[in-house]
Amino acid sequence: MYGKCFPAGYSLTFAELDTITNRLARNLLKLGLVPGDRVSVQTGTGAGHVLSLLALAKAGLVIAPIDRTTWERRSRIRSTMWIAGVHRGCRHL
């Protein structure tokens, strides 16, 4: 979500980064996630991915990365998530 909002070369201050990731972390917890929950995340690059990982960590969630090239292979993803004990996945935050 946020990655598409930042044009190439855009920079954030630490205060802006902190504000955005705190907001995302609070929203994740409002959705019913609790610290310690395992959440799968599609791997990626760019600002949006970094912001997502920071927000998940701030919310105290356990991050299980899923390779973005296999995201569409649902049966493989489901088995990977089951092995990792993941009950929820986030494709986009």
Side-chain angles (χ1 to χ4, degrees):
M1 176 173 125
Y2 281 103
K4 295 180 178 158
C5 298
F6 299 124
Y10 184 84
S11 62
L12 291 172
T13 65
F14 283 112
E16 292 169 324
L17 177 69
D18 194 45
T19 299
I20 291 169
T21 54
N22 284 339
R23 184 179 316 127
L24 285 171
R26 280 192 307 273
N27 288 338
L28 289 166
L29 296 174
K30 285 180 185 177
L31 289 172
L33 294 167
V34 296
D37 277 355
R38 294 176 182 149
V39 179
S40 67
V41 179
Q42 179 182 358
T43 59
T45 59
H49 183 68
V50 173
L51 292 172
S52 298
L53 293 176
L54 285 171
L56 290 164
K58 283 186 172 197
L61 302 169
V62 178
I63 302 164
I66 302 292
D67 182 6
R68 67 186 300 163
T69 61
T70 61
W71 186 263
E72 297 304 324
R73 294 184 229 154
R74 295 184 190 277
S75 62
R76 187 171 186 185
I77 297 302
R78 282 190 203 116
S79 64
T80 302
M81 289 173 65
W82 182 80
I83 291 167
V86 174
H87 302 289
R88 299 176 193 238
C90 294
R91 189 167 186 182
H92 303 286
L93 290 182

